[in-house]
Each structure stands twice: as structure tokens, then as C-alpha cells.
């Protein structure tokens, strides 16, 4: 793959459980039919570890079940207990010394279940913990509340990872609640649709208003797209379906979010996170949902 | 556009004349309706120069008419005479000193018309000459024969440019007949379909046979795709519609053809073009048409 940086792989559980009628969950694992060719597959916690072991990522994720929102309490409880047993089996299946397997806290939007699952998994002593089952369509405020139940119970000395979150407002909210890591398709998916993130919010470069706008996406951005290309030119590329258009918007959006996280870390080190948060959001005025997940 | 090398722009004539019923040719220029939104446009030789002037390319092309193959002699003659008058008007319209406007020799597959047009245009003293109206569906041997009528009449001191040609066998055949420059969508179009050029001919990387082939596209190639990625990985990217797949095959094919032309220039300088041609084609065994044009 030729990527020189650290690599995180997910278990594929989220994708399997999204298949709906095409999958059947049993204690041993999950059986599913491919939506592409109908072929049958049986996926177990051990197989998810073995696949990620073969991929050689730096961080691997356990196979968990991510219940949809909303789900009733009894279903979430049954699913969560199985996810704990699967986490234990996954930990037993680890063979690599150079790969960190993270557990994933579930429990839906039920406080006692979330707290119980966080304790069960921390007792199993994983090298890192993710909060799963959020950013799946619930109101943002409910996501933040759930996060506040869970993160205080996770060890401060280990990475705490909020899955499926990537909009600037939710990144700030996550960091505020103790989250260290995020992942999200938001920057790249938006980019492929011609939407770029700037300090003044989102712009849709496909709009006609940019047809003769020869300024960069952002004059404050140092990314390769902003240093060498105009909004008008990128718009032309997007309208003509030239691949370079999507590449430039993707490069810009990734640069923007990585830069934002670097600025957040600096503000934390300098004890001015709250004021940075306020100033950034005041300008950004993010109005949209952050709940986009693969 | 951020391209540091020389840039050549075409007049758009080929695209306009390909519109068929949507366009009407008059002495003044060509009127056409957009196949996208039905809007009406009137394109003249002067406008084609002005547009390319504004684009600021290093080499611009005159607006010519490229008759389809086959076309009857009387039509080709009428069209060719108008193309000469348009070339004269184009030359008068040039204002930039830093842009070379090339004329385009037409005349269909008629030897006397080709010779007459080559003379008419060389009398007008352009800084470079293209051979147009070839690689439009005619048999390859007829293309080579036509080329042999034209290139001896074009000044050796100026670039001779064969439009729409890019397959290795046709590049050799063109150079053999005095051509200095080519353009073609072949390497990039093939790449987008997963086809790569190698010293052993074309490979379609989408084929199942490459699913577990962890060797590079070509072990003899120094391009970024071959230095860092395997056939199996590029195939995976292509099958998953990951943009990187098409980028890697595109980078490889452009590198392959640029390297081939560099090797051809070296062989010419060393007086061993004929043996290089024979050795290359013996291995390459190109069986396909070279006649792909935008």
C-alpha cells in the first residue's frame, strides 16, 4: 500500500451488520451473503483478528456488533454481552506483538449498559478502547451525553477512540470529553462531491458562483491544492469529471482536518482549548450533521 | 493548471466536426449546438486563436476541418480549400509572440490533395506543421502511406506532428517517416480501463489471473507505480473503483510511452533506430489498432 505512517484497520463488523437481512448473528460469529455475488461467508472474532494480522496494521479492532439507533434495551443487552465474549475471544486470538488490538464499547443509548460494558472491557485490559455505536443517526446531543458516560471509565493512559466522527464541531466536542482519536469518511466523501472545508464553513465548489473565482479554496491554507489551484479551476475539473478535481478537494479536506487536530493539541498544551474552540466555531458556524459513517 | 512543462492546445475543431448533425460549416466558421445543453455556438478560426491565446499554451493549433474516413474526393477538396483559407485567417489573428501556431495538413487519402495542401500551408510559413485527418478509422497501412506523401514536403527545420497516434507500433512507424511529435488519448484511456503497456505487450490488470500476482506491473520499469505497488494491489484498487487504481495505471502508461520516445531518440542519435525498432516490436508483438482519437 506504500503508506509510511501508522495504519488502523477496522474488523469489518460495522459493514457486516449493515447488511440487514443478508446476515445472521450466532454465538460463534456472523454468517452473511455478499451483496455483490451472493456468496456465503462466516465471520468470527478470530477470523477478524487473523485477517488484520495478515494485513499487518498497527492498530486492529475487535469484531463487535453495532446495534442500529434506536434499538430496544433487551436487544442491546443481548448484543452487548455477546460483544464482550467476542472481545475476550479476539484477545486470545492475537499473535502479533507489533499490533495493538482495541476493544469497542457498545451499550446503545442506555447509561447503565454503557457503564457496564466499559467496565467489562477495561477489566480485559486492552491496549486501547473505542466508543462504538455512536454517530449512527442519533441526535448530536445524545451522542455527546453518551460519550460523557463512557470516557471517564476508560483508562487515561490508553488511547480513547470515537468511531465515525469527523466534523469540526464533533471533533471539538469529542476532545472536550476526553477522546484522543477519530475516524470518519466525512472529509473524503464531501470532497468527492465537491464540498470543501474552510475556516468559514463548507463551500460547494460545483456552484456556479465559483466559475470565475480565481482565488484559492482558502487563502489561509498551505495545502498543495490551495497553493497552486483556483476555485474556478477546481470547479471546472469537478464539472468535467476530471479525477484531479476530486483529488484536490480530498487533499484539501484531509489537510484541513489534520491541521485542525494539530491546532487543538497545541491549544491543549497551552491551556487555551476552550477559547480556541469558541473562536473556531464562532467563525465556522457548522450547521450540519456530523453523523456520516461508512 | 500548475503544469511546469510545455503545453499544447488543440483548436477544438475535431470535437466540433465530430458532432455530425449538430453542426453546420460555413465559410465564416462553424455553428454548432452543445450536445450537453443544446446551446448554440459559433466558432471561427479567429475565435479558436483567441481562446488558445487566453489559455496561454506554448503551441496552439489552427481550426481545421477533419473529414471523416472515407470521404469522397470533391468533399475533401472543398473542405481542404476552406481549411487553407482558415489557416491564413488564423495566422493573421495571432497576437502573442510566445505561442507557436501550427497548421494542420488535410487532404484525406488523396495523394495529390495531400501534396497540394502541404505546399499551400508551407507557403504560409507556420512555425510547425501537423498531419491531421489520420488515425480516424482507416487501415494502418493507408495511414502510413499517406504520411509518406506528406512528411517529405514539410520543412525539416520545423516540428512535424502526427495527431491522434500513440500506440508503440505507430510511434515507430511515424518516427520512421519523419514525425517529431505525437498526441493520443491511448495511454490514459487504456489506463482508466485497467490496461497497462509493458515491453511484453498489453496486460489487463482487471483479469482474475492477477489477483495474487504480487510482482510489479513491469520489473523493468522505474515508474512510481512499479516501484511501490503490485499487480494484485492495483487490480484490487481497480475492482473496488478506488481512484488510486486508475492513477497508478495512468502514471505507468505515460511513463512507458515517454520512456519509449526517449529510447527512440537515443537510438536515432546512435544510428541504431532500425535495430531498436525490430527488437522492441519483436517482443511487444502489438496486435491492436492504434487508431484511437478523442
Amino acid at each position: 500500500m506504500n503508506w509510511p505512517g501508522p495504519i488502523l484497520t477496522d474488523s469489518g463488523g460495522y459493514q457486516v451488520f449493515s447488511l440487514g437481512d443478508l446476515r445472521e448473528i450466532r454465538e460463534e460469529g456472523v454468517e452473511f451473503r455478499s451483496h455483490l455475488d451472493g456468496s456465503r461467508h462466516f465471520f468470527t472474532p478470530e477470523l477478524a483478528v487473523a485477517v488484520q494480522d495478515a494485513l499487518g496494521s498497527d492498530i486492529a479492532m475487535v469484531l463487535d456488533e453495532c446495534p442500529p439507533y434506536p434499538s430496544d434495551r433487551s436487544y442491546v443487552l443481548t448484543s452487548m454481552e455477546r460483544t464482550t465474549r467476542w472481545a475476550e475471544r479476539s484477545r486470545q486470538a492475537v499473535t502479533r506483538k507489533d499490533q495493538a488490538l482495541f476493544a469497542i464499547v457498545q451499550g446503545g443509548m442506555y447509561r447503565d449498559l454503557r457503564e457496564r460494558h466499559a467496565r467489562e472491557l477495561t477489566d480485559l485490559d486492552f491496549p486501547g478502547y473505542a466508543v462504538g455505536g455512536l454517530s449512527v443517526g442519533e441526535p448530536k446531543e445524545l451522542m455527546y451525553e453518551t460519550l460523557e458516560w463512557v470516557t471517564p471509565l476508560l483508562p487515561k493512559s490508553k488511547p480513547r477512540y470515537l468511531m465515525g466522527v469527523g466534523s469540526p464541531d464533533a471533533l471539538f466536542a469529542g476532545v472536550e470529553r476526553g477522546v484522543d482519536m477519530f475516524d470518519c469518511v466525512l472529509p473524503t466523501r464531501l470532497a468527492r462531491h465537491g464540498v470543501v472545508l474552510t475556516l468559514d464553513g463548507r463551500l460547494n465548489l460545483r456552484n456556479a458562483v465559483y466559475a470565475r473565482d480565481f482565488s484559492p479554496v482558502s487563502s489561509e491554507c498551505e495545502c498543495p491544492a490551495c497553493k497552486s489551484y483556483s476555485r474556478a479551476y477546481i470547479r471546472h475539473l469537478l464539472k468535467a469529471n476530471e479525477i484531479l478535481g476530486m483529488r484536490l478537494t480530498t487533499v484539501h479536506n484531509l489537510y484541513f482536518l489534520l491541521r485542525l487536530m494539530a491546532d487543538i493539541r497545541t491549544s491543549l498544551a497551552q491551556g487555551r482549548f476552550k477559547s480556541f474552540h469558541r473562536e473556531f466555531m464562532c467563525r465556522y458556524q457548522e450547521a450540519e450533521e456530523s453523523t456520516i459513517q461508512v
Side-chain angles (χ1 to χ4, degrees), chain A residues 203-265:
Chain A
L203 309 178
N204 188 335
L205 290 184
R206 299 183 69 95
N207 288 348
V209 69
Y210 302 115
R212 290 173 174 277
D213 183 343
F214 299 105
S215 64
V217 169
S218 166
S219 57
E220 295 154 285
C221 180
E222 296 289 312
C223 86
C226 287
K227 283 199 290 188
S228 298
Y229 302 92
S230 68
R231 293 172 175 184
Y233 182 63
I234 296 174
R235 177 179 185 273
H236 155 73
L237 294 173
L238 292 167
K239 300 287 281 186
N241 288 321
E242 279 288 343
I243 290 174
L244 181 60
M246 292 193 285
R247 274 184 58 81
L248 292 176
T249 52
T250 300
V251 163
H252 170 82
N253 282 353
L254 291 175
Y255 189 99
F256 180 86
L257 286 187
L258 291 172
R259 175 62 195 267
L260 173 60
M261 291 308 296
D263 288 346
I264 286 177
R265 289 192 294 275

Coordinates of all heavy atoms in Angstrom, one line a residue, chain A residues 203-265:
Chain A
L203 N -17.9 24.9 1.6 CA -18.2 25.5 0.3 C -18.5 24.4 -0.7 O -17.7 23.4 -0.7 CB -17.0 26.4 -0.3 CG -16.4 27.4 0.6 CD1 -15.2 28.1 -0.2 CD2 -17.4 28.5 1.0
N204 N -19.5 24.5 -1.5 CA -19.7 23.5 -2.6 C -19.1 24.1 -3.9 O -19.7 25.0 -4.5 CB -21.1 23.2 -2.8 CG -21.3 22.0 -3.8 OD1 -20.4 21.8 -4.6 ND2 -22.4 21.3 -3.6
L205 N -17.9 23.6 -4.3 CA -17.2 24.2 -5.4 C -17.9 23.9 -6.7 O -17.5 24.5 -7.7 CB -15.8 23.7 -5.5 CG -14.8 24.1 -4.4 CD1 -13.4 23.6 -4.6 CD2 -14.8 25.6 -4.3
R206 N -18.9 23.1 -6.8 CA -19.7 22.9 -8.0 C -20.6 24.1 -8.3 O -21.1 24.2 -9.4 CB -20.4 21.6 -8.0 CG -19.5 20.3 -7.8 CD -20.4 19.1 -7.8 NE -20.9 18.8 -9.1 CZ -20.3 18.0 -10.0 NH1 -19.2 17.4 -9.7 NH2 -20.8 17.8 -11.2
N207 N -20.8 24.9 -7.3 CA -21.8 26.0 -7.5 C -21.2 27.0 -8.5 O -20.0 27.3 -8.6 CB -22.0 26.7 -6.2 CG -22.9 25.9 -5.2 OD1 -23.5 24.9 -5.6 ND2 -22.9 26.3 -4.0
A208 N -22.2 27.5 -9.3 CA -21.8 28.5 -10.4 C -21.1 29.7 -9.9 O -20.3 30.3 -10.7 CB -23.1 28.9 -11.2
V209 N -21.3 30.1 -8.7 CA -20.7 31.3 -8.1 C -19.2 31.2 -8.2 O -18.5 32.2 -8.2 CB -21.2 31.6 -6.7 CG1 -20.7 30.5 -5.7 CG2 -20.9 33.0 -6.2
Y210 N -18.6 30.0 -8.3 CA -17.2 29.9 -8.3 C -16.6 29.8 -9.7 O -15.4 29.6 -9.9 CB -16.7 28.6 -7.5 CG -17.2 28.7 -6.0 CD1 -18.2 27.8 -5.5 CD2 -16.8 29.7 -5.2 CE1 -18.6 27.9 -4.2 CE2 -17.3 29.8 -3.9 CZ -18.2 28.9 -3.4 OH -18.6 29.0 -2.1
A211 N -17.4 29.9 -10.7 CA -17.0 29.7 -12.1 C -15.8 30.6 -12.5 O -15.0 30.3 -13.3 CB -18.1 29.8 -13.1
R212 N -15.9 31.9 -11.9 CA -14.8 32.8 -12.3 C -14.1 33.3 -11.0 O -13.6 34.4 -11.0 CB -15.4 34.0 -13.0 CG -15.8 33.6 -14.4 CD -16.6 34.6 -15.2 NE -16.8 34.2 -16.5 CZ -15.9 34.3 -17.5 NH1 -14.8 34.9 -17.3 NH2 -16.2 33.8 -18.7
D213 N -14.1 32.5 -10.0 CA -13.4 32.8 -8.7 C -12.0 32.3 -8.8 O -11.8 31.1 -8.5 CB -14.2 32.2 -7.6 CG -13.6 32.6 -6.2 OD1 -12.5 33.1 -6.2 OD2 -14.4 32.5 -5.2
F214 N -11.0 33.2 -9.0 CA -9.7 32.7 -9.3 C -8.8 32.7 -8.0 O -7.6 32.7 -8.0 CB -9.0 33.5 -10.4 CG -9.8 33.3 -11.7 CD1 -10.6 34.3 -12.2 CD2 -9.7 32.1 -12.4 CE1 -11.3 34.1 -13.4 CE2 -10.3 31.9 -13.5 CZ -11.2 32.8 -14.1
S215 N -9.5 32.9 -6.8 CA -8.8 32.8 -5.6 C -8.7 31.3 -5.2 O -9.4 30.5 -5.7 CB -9.6 33.6 -4.5 OG -10.8 33.0 -4.3
P216 N -7.8 31.0 -4.2 CA -7.7 29.6 -3.8 C -8.9 29.2 -2.9 O -9.6 30.1 -2.5 CB -6.4 29.6 -3.0 CG -6.2 31.0 -2.5 CD -6.8 31.8 -3.6
V217 N -9.0 27.9 -2.7 CA -10.1 27.4 -1.8 C -10.1 28.2 -0.5 O -11.1 28.7 0.0 CB -10.0 25.9 -1.5 CG1 -10.9 25.5 -0.4 CG2 -10.3 25.1 -2.8
S218 N -8.9 28.3 0.1 CA -8.7 29.2 1.3 C -7.3 29.8 1.2 O -6.3 29.2 1.0 CB -8.8 28.3 2.5 OG -8.3 29.1 3.6
S219 N -7.3 31.2 1.3 CA -6.1 31.9 1.2 C -5.2 31.7 2.5 O -4.1 32.0 2.5 CB -6.3 33.4 1.0 OG -7.1 33.9 2.1
E220 N -5.9 31.1 3.6 CA -5.1 30.8 4.8 C -4.6 29.4 4.8 O -4.0 29.0 5.9 CB -6.1 31.0 6.0 CG -6.5 32.5 6.1 CD -7.9 32.6 6.9 OE1 -8.9 32.3 6.2 OE2 -7.9 33.0 8.0
C221 N -4.8 28.6 3.8 CA -4.4 27.2 3.8 C -3.1 27.0 3.0 O -2.9 27.6 2.0 CB -5.6 26.3 3.2 SG -5.2 24.6 3.1
E222 N -2.3 26.1 3.6 CA -1.0 25.8 3.0 C -1.0 24.5 2.2 O 0.1 24.0 1.9 CB 0.1 25.8 4.1 CG 0.3 27.1 4.8 CD 1.0 28.1 3.9 OE1 2.0 27.7 3.3 OE2 0.5 29.2 3.9
C223 N -2.1 23.9 1.9 CA -2.2 22.6 1.3 C -1.8 22.7 -0.2 O -1.9 23.8 -0.8 CB -3.5 21.9 1.5 SG -4.7 22.4 0.2
P224 N -1.4 21.6 -0.8 CA -0.9 21.7 -2.2 C -2.1 22.2 -3.2 O -1.8 22.9 -4.1 CB -0.6 20.2 -2.6 CG -0.3 19.6 -1.2 CD -1.1 20.3 -0.2
A225 N -3.3 21.9 -2.8 CA -4.4 22.4 -3.7 C -4.5 23.9 -3.6 O -4.7 24.6 -4.6 CB -5.7 21.7 -3.3
C226 N -4.5 24.4 -2.4 CA -4.6 25.9 -2.2 C -3.4 26.7 -2.7 O -3.5 27.8 -3.1 CB -4.9 26.2 -0.7 SG -6.6 25.7 -0.3
K227 N -2.2 26.0 -2.6 CA -1.0 26.8 -3.1 C -0.9 26.9 -4.6 O -0.3 27.8 -5.1 CB 0.2 26.1 -2.5 CG 0.4 26.4 -1.0 CD 1.8 26.2 -0.6 CE 2.1 24.7 -0.5 NZ 3.4 24.4 0.1
S228 N -1.6 26.1 -5.3 CA -1.4 26.1 -6.8 C -2.6 26.1 -7.7 O -2.5 26.2 -8.9 CB -0.6 24.8 -7.2 OG 0.6 24.7 -6.6
Y229 N -3.8 26.0 -7.1 CA -5.0 26.0 -7.9 C -6.1 26.9 -7.4 O -6.2 27.2 -6.2 CB -5.6 24.5 -7.9 CG -4.6 23.5 -8.4 CD1 -3.8 22.9 -7.5 CD2 -4.4 23.3 -9.8 CE1 -2.8 21.9 -8.0 CE2 -3.5 22.4 -10.2 CZ -2.7 21.7 -9.3 OH -1.8 20.8 -9.8
S230 N -6.9 27.4 -8.4 CA -8.0 28.3 -8.0 C -9.3 27.5 -7.8 O -9.5 26.4 -8.3 CB -8.2 29.4 -9.1 OG -8.7 28.7 -10.3
R231 N -10.3 28.2 -7.1 CA -11.6 27.6 -7.0 C -12.2 27.4 -8.4 O -12.9 26.4 -8.7 CB -12.5 28.6 -6.3 CG -12.1 28.8 -4.8 CD -12.9 29.9 -4.2 NE -12.7 30.0 -2.7 CZ -13.3 30.8 -1.9 NH1 -14.2 31.6 -2.4 NH2 -13.0 30.8 -0.6
A232 N -12.0 28.3 -9.3 CA -12.6 28.2 -10.7 C -12.0 27.0 -11.4 O -12.8 26.3 -12.1 CB -12.3 29.5 -11.5
Y233 N -10.7 26.8 -11.3 CA -10.1 25.7 -12.0 C -10.6 24.3 -11.4 O -10.9 23.4 -12.1 CB -8.6 25.8 -11.9 CG -7.9 24.6 -12.7 CD1 -8.1 24.5 -14.1 CD2 -7.1 23.7 -12.0 CE1 -7.5 23.5 -14.8 CE2 -6.5 22.7 -12.7 CZ -6.7 22.6 -14.1 OH -6.1 21.6 -14.8
I234 N -10.6 24.3 -10.0 CA -11.1 23.0 -9.4 C -12.5 22.8 -9.7 O -12.9 21.6 -10.0 CB -10.9 23.1 -7.9 CG1 -9.4 23.2 -7.5 CG2 -11.5 21.8 -7.2 CD1 -9.1 23.4 -6.1
R235 N -13.4 23.8 -9.8 CA -14.8 23.7 -10.2 C -14.8 23.1 -11.6 O -15.6 22.2 -11.9 CB -15.5 25.0 -10.1 CG -16.9 24.9 -10.6 CD -17.6 26.2 -10.5 NE -19.0 26.1 -10.9 CZ -19.5 26.1 -12.2 NH1 -18.6 26.4 -13.2 NH2 -20.7 25.9 -12.5
H236 N -14.0 23.6 -12.5 CA -14.0 23.1 -13.9 C -13.7 21.6 -13.9 O -14.3 20.9 -14.6 CB -13.0 23.9 -14.7 CG -12.4 23.2 -15.9 ND1 -13.2 22.9 -17.0 CD2 -11.2 22.6 -16.1 CE1 -12.5 22.2 -17.9 NE2 -11.3 22.0 -17.3
L237 N -12.7 21.2 -13.1 CA -12.3 19.8 -13.1 C -13.4 19.0 -12.6 O -13.7 17.9 -13.1 CB -11.0 19.6 -12.2 CG -9.7 20.3 -12.6 CD1 -8.7 20.1 -11.5 CD2 -9.2 19.6 -13.9
L238 N -14.1 19.4 -11.5 CA -15.2 18.7 -10.9 C -16.3 18.5 -11.9 O -16.9 17.5 -12.1 CB -15.7 19.4 -9.7 CG -14.8 19.4 -8.4 CD1 -15.3 20.4 -7.4 CD2 -14.6 18.0 -7.8
K239 N -16.7 19.6 -12.6 CA -17.8 19.6 -13.6 C -17.5 18.7 -14.8 O -18.3 18.1 -15.4 CB -18.1 21.0 -14.1 CG -18.5 22.0 -13.0 CD -19.9 21.8 -12.4 CE -21.0 22.3 -13.4 NZ -22.3 22.2 -12.8
A240 N -16.2 18.7 -15.1 CA -15.8 17.8 -16.3 C -15.5 16.4 -15.9 O -15.1 15.6 -16.7 CB -14.5 18.5 -16.9
N241 N -15.7 16.1 -14.6 CA -15.4 14.7 -14.1 C -14.0 14.3 -14.2 O -13.7 13.2 -14.4 CB -16.3 13.7 -14.7 CG -17.8 13.8 -14.2 OD1 -18.0 14.0 -13.0 ND2 -18.7 13.6 -15.1
E242 N -13.1 15.3 -14.2 CA -11.7 15.0 -14.2 C -11.3 14.6 -12.8 O -11.6 15.2 -11.8 CB -10.9 16.3 -14.6 CG -10.8 16.5 -16.1 CD -9.9 15.5 -16.8 OE1 -9.1 14.8 -16.2 OE2 -10.0 15.5 -18.0
I243 N -10.6 13.4 -12.7 CA -10.2 12.8 -11.4 C -9.4 13.8 -10.6 O -9.6 13.8 -9.3 CB -9.4 11.5 -11.7 CG1 -10.3 10.5 -12.3 CG2 -8.7 11.1 -10.4 CD1 -9.6 9.2 -12.7
L244 N -8.6 14.7 -11.2 CA -7.8 15.6 -10.4 C -8.7 16.5 -9.5 O -8.2 16.9 -8.4 CB -7.0 16.5 -11.4 CG -6.1 17.5 -10.7 CD1 -5.0 16.8 -9.8 CD2 -5.3 18.3 -11.7
G245 N -9.9 16.8 -10.0 CA -10.8 17.6 -9.1 C -11.1 17.0 -7.8 O -10.9 17.7 -6.7
M246 N -11.5 15.7 -7.8 CA -11.7 15.0 -6.5 C -10.5 14.9 -5.7 O -10.5 14.9 -4.5 CB -12.4 13.7 -6.8 CG -13.8 13.8 -7.4 SD -14.7 12.2 -7.3 CE -13.8 11.4 -8.7
R247 N -9.3 14.7 -6.4 CA -8.1 14.6 -5.6 C -7.7 15.8 -4.9 O -7.3 15.8 -3.7 CB -6.9 14.2 -6.6 CG -6.8 12.7 -6.8 CD -5.6 12.4 -7.7 NE -4.4 12.8 -7.1 CZ -3.7 12.2 -6.2 NH1 -4.2 11.1 -5.7 NH2 -2.6 12.7 -5.7
L248 N -7.9 17.0 -5.6 CA -7.5 18.3 -5.0 C -8.4 18.6 -3.8 O -8.0 19.0 -2.7 CB -7.5 19.4 -6.0 CG -6.5 19.3 -7.1 CD1 -6.7 20.4 -8.1 CD2 -5.1 19.4 -6.5
T249 N -9.7 18.3 -3.9 CA -10.6 18.6 -2.8 C -10.4 17.6 -1.7 O -10.4 18.0 -0.5 CB -12.1 18.5 -3.2 OG1 -12.3 17.3 -3.9 CG2 -12.5 19.6 -4.2
T250 N -10.0 16.4 -2.0 CA -9.7 15.4 -0.9 C -8.4 15.8 -0.2 O -8.4 15.8 1.1 CB -9.5 14.0 -1.6 OG1 -10.7 13.6 -2.2 CG2 -9.2 13.0 -0.5
V251 N -7.4 16.2 -0.9 CA -6.1 16.6 -0.3 C -6.4 17.8 0.6 O -6.0 17.8 1.8 CB -5.1 17.0 -1.4 CG1 -4.0 17.8 -0.8 CG2 -4.6 15.7 -2.1
H252 N -7.2 18.7 0.1 CA -7.5 19.9 0.9 C -8.2 19.6 2.2 O -7.9 20.0 3.3 CB -8.3 20.9 0.2 CG -8.8 22.0 1.0 ND1 -8.0 23.1 1.4 CD2 -10.0 22.2 1.7 CE1 -8.7 23.9 2.2 NE2 -9.9 23.4 2.4
N253 N -9.3 18.8 2.1 CA -10.1 18.4 3.3 C -9.3 17.7 4.3 O -9.4 17.9 5.6 CB -11.4 17.7 2.9 CG -12.4 18.6 2.3 OD1 -12.3 19.8 2.4 ND2 -13.5 18.0 1.8
L254 N -8.5 16.7 3.9 CA -7.7 16.0 4.8 C -6.7 16.9 5.5 O -6.5 16.9 6.7 CB -6.9 14.8 4.1 CG -7.8 13.7 3.7 CD1 -7.0 12.6 2.9 CD2 -8.5 13.0 4.9
Y255 N -6.0 17.8 4.7 CA -5.1 18.7 5.3 C -5.8 19.6 6.3 O -5.3 19.9 7.4 CB -4.5 19.6 4.1 CG -3.4 20.5 4.6 CD1 -2.1 20.1 4.3 CD2 -3.6 21.7 5.2 CE1 -1.0 21.0 4.7 CE2 -2.6 22.6 5.5 CZ -1.3 22.2 5.3 OH -0.3 23.0 5.7
F256 N -7.0 20.1 6.0 CA -7.8 20.9 6.9 C -8.0 20.3 8.2 O -7.8 20.9 9.3 CB -9.1 21.3 6.2 CG -9.9 22.3 7.0 CD1 -9.7 23.6 7.0 CD2 -10.9 21.8 7.9 CE1 -10.5 24.5 7.8 CE2 -11.7 22.6 8.7 CZ -11.5 24.0 8.6
L257 N -8.5 19.0 8.2 CA -8.8 18.4 9.5 C -7.5 18.0 10.3 O -7.5 18.1 11.5 CB -9.7 17.1 9.2 CG -11.1 17.4 8.9 CD1 -11.9 16.1 8.8 CD2 -11.8 18.4 9.9
L258 N -6.5 17.6 9.6 CA -5.2 17.2 10.3 C -4.7 18.5 10.9 O -4.1 18.5 12.0 CB -4.2 16.6 9.3 CG -4.6 15.2 8.8 CD1 -3.7 14.7 7.7 CD2 -4.6 14.2 10.0
R259 N -4.8 19.6 10.2 CA -4.3 20.9 10.7 C -5.1 21.3 11.9 O -4.6 21.8 13.0 CB -4.4 21.9 9.6 CG -4.0 23.3 10.1 CD -2.6 23.4 10.6 NE -2.3 24.7 11.3 CZ -1.9 25.8 10.7 NH1 -1.6 25.8 9.4 NH2 -1.7 26.9 11.5
L260 N -6.5 21.1 11.8 CA -7.3 21.4 13.0 C -7.0 20.6 14.2 O -6.9 21.1 15.3 CB -8.8 21.1 12.6 CG -9.8 21.3 13.7 CD1 -9.8 22.7 14.3 CD2 -11.2 20.9 13.2
M261 N -6.7 19.3 14.0 CA -6.4 18.5 15.2 C -5.0 18.9 15.8 O -4.8 18.9 17.0 CB -6.3 17.0 14.8 CG -7.7 16.4 14.5 SD -9.0 16.6 15.8 CE -8.3 15.7 17.2
A262 N -4.1 19.3 14.9 CA -2.8 19.8 15.4 C -3.0 21.1 16.2 O -2.4 21.2 17.3 CB -1.8 20.0 14.2
D263 N -3.8 21.9 15.7 CA -4.1 23.2 16.4 C -4.8 22.9 17.8 O -4.5 23.6 18.7 CB -5.0 24.1 15.6 CG -4.2 24.7 14.4 OD1 -3.0 24.6 14.4 OD2 -4.9 25.2 13.5
I264 N -5.7 21.9 17.8 CA -6.3 21.5 19.0 C -5.3 21.0 20.0 O -5.3 21.4 21.2 CB -7.4 20.4 18.8 CG1 -8.6 21.1 18.1 CG2 -7.8 19.8 20.1 CD1 -9.8 20.1 17.7
R265 N -4.4 20.2 19.6 CA -3.3 19.7 20.5 C -2.5 20.8 21.1 O -2.2 20.9 22.3 CB -2.4 18.7 19.8 CG -3.1 17.3 19.5 CD -2.2 16.2 19.1 NE -1.5 16.5 17.8 CZ -2.1 16.2 16.6 NH1 -3.3 15.6 16.6 NH2 -1.5 16.4 15.5

